[in-house]
Amino acid sequence: FYIEPSLSLGQIFAKMTSRERALEGFSAMRVWDTEANNGVMLYFLVAERKFEIIADRGVNRLVDQSFWNEISRAISQQFSERAFTRGVIEAIQKISEVLQKHFPPRLGDRNELADEVQIV
């Protein structure tokens, strides 16, 4: 979960998109660095009221784009109703369910990524 208040002036002049910035954050946080390549990051660019969902290749091999579209629609709907917390929690729950389905916990598993919200 990655929250950024706004892009820097340099990023704005370079016409960086929220997707490009989310991919940078995905890399910087090393979300791609899991054994099963199953990391997922929610990125929120507050000033532009945009969000991105970035999933690693292990997840994308198993989860259809329609799932991510559904999550995006649900977040957008909740945000339009100013239900920000509910939108985020519901998205995390749905993503967790699909990850547990495709990557069920195994004996000896450990959390490979930090759970803390990153505010840049």
Side-chain angles (χ1 to χ4, degrees), residues 37-54:
N37 298 310
N38 61 352
V40 177
M41 183 182 81
L42 292 173
Y43 171 82
F44 294 89
L45 182 55
V46 178
E48 294 187 24
R49 296 182 179 185
K50 292 187 177 180
F51 66 90
E52 301 288 341
I53 303 171
I54 308 293

Side-chain angles (χ1 to χ4, degrees), residues 18-29:
S18 60
R19 183 80 177 171
E20 291 167 336
R21 183 63 184 134
L23 288 167
E24 280 187 358
F26 188 86
S27 178
M29 290 177 55

